[in-house]
Amino acid sequence: MARQERAVRTRRAILEAAAAVFDERGYDAATIADILSRAGVTKGALYFHFSSKQELAQGVLDEQFAEGGVPHRESKLQELVDVAMVLAYRMKNEPMLSAGARLSLGPGMREIFGGGSVPGWIEFTRTLLAQAKEQGELLPHVDPAETAWILSACWTGAQIYSQTLSDRRDIEERVAAVYQHICPSIATPAVLARLDMAPDRGQRVTAEMGLGPGAGPVREPEPALS
């Protein structure tokens, strides 16, 4: 058991180091030597868990889902807003999340990772929107699949613009604005009146979960099926 626990801790340390290096330097410029130095582990330990730089990067992408969870809500639309705002809040301080975005969206990454975490987030968003529609939270015209694509694209654009223009200092305000603009066109009036889309929503939900920067998963969104 102690050996298993050490292996889990070692794997996590390697992933955190890889995420920090990928986030700072990008996939192409990152090297195994950089990651080894950051993680403080032997080459043998790293290759026991990951056979290549690409497999390491895929591990970081997979962790994005484990780290992006929130408590279940009666309102599925509120749950979707909470996921978006928690990611915005935690992305400012956690390389595991921001590295996942960089690996998914960087030049040439589609050829290596097939879109990275983007398909998974679109499918996760579609699932929550479909559940919201089944519960009568969405207007009749709303297509969950189309809306999921639009919301995911808008969230991504907001975080990229925020990173480019303010080093993500305003990311929570920008992501909140995305939902404040879009939700009136998809939510029923009764649900819209109860939605909490304030810029500090992510910070409050993170505190509710008892998590600080670097904390582990709460709810794991389902990745897209290949």
Side-chain angles (χ1 to χ4, degrees):
M1 184 64 67
R3 183 178 298 176
Q4 290 177 342
E5 290 175 355
R6 284 198 303 272
V8 169
R9 288 197 299 270
T10 299
R11 185 180 189 278
R12 180 67 188 188
I14 293 167
L15 278 176
E16 288 180 347
V21 173
F22 289 138
D23 194 37
E24 293 168 7
R25 305 186 184 184
Y27 179 78
D28 289 336
T31 67
I32 293 293
D34 295 331
I35 295 167
L36 285 171
S37 176
R38 186 73 61 98
V41 301
T42 66
K43 185 179 291 187
L46 187 149
Y47 282 113
F48 175 81
H49 292 281
F50 302 97
S51 64
S52 64
K53 184 172 77 168
Q54 182 172 340
E55 191 172 305
L56 259 173
Q58 188 62 56
V60 171
L61 286 167
D62 293 342
E63 283 295 310
Q64 215 182 19
F65 289 100
E67 303 251 343
V70 300
H72 291 278
R73 305 294 187 195
E74 181 178 346
S75 166
K76 295 295 117 177
L77 194 53
Q78 183 66 68
E79 190 171 324
L80 183 59
V81 171
D82 287 356
V83 169
M85 296 309 303
V86 165
L87 283 173
Y89 171 67
R90 295 180 66 187
M91 185 174 278
K92 293 190 297 184
N93 301 303
E94 298 182 43
M96 193 70 73
L97 295 173
S98 52
R102 182 165 185 173
L103 289 168
S104 297
L105 303 169
M109 293 298 98
R110 182 176 183 275
E111 288 73 16
I112 300 173
F113 301 112
S117 60
V118 171
W121 284 117
I122 293 174
E123 176 59 17
F124 171 69
T125 303
R126 187 204 64 78
T127 298
L128 278 182
L129 286 170
Q131 292 171 356
K133 189 161 188 176
E134 289 174 4
Q135 295 181 177
E137 297 183 49
L138 304 184
L139 296 170
H141 72 275
V142 175
D143 178 349
E146 181 180 71
T147 305
W149 198 99
I150 292 169
L151 276 172
S152 181
C154 288
W155 192 99
T156 298
Q159 75 90 10
I160 290 174
Y161 275 30
S162 176
Q163 181 182 20
T164 301
L165 298 175
S166 71
D167 196 27
R168 294 201 181 102
R169 287 189 299 273
D170 65 351
I171 187 172
E172 292 164 275
E173 290 79 9
R174 300 303 183 184
V175 171
V178 165
Y179 282 82
Q180 290 163 7
H181 278 73
I182 292 178
C183 283
S185 69
I186 66 172
T188 62
V191 171
L192 183 64
R194 297 194 299 269
L195 283 180
D196 185 345
M197 300 178 282
D200 68 340
R201 177 68 180 175
Q203 182 177 2
R204 286 185 281 116
V205 173
T206 300
E208 173 193 344
M209 295 188 293
L211 300 182
V218 173
R219 174 176 185 265
E220 182 173 343
E222 294 292 337
L225 297 176
S226 57

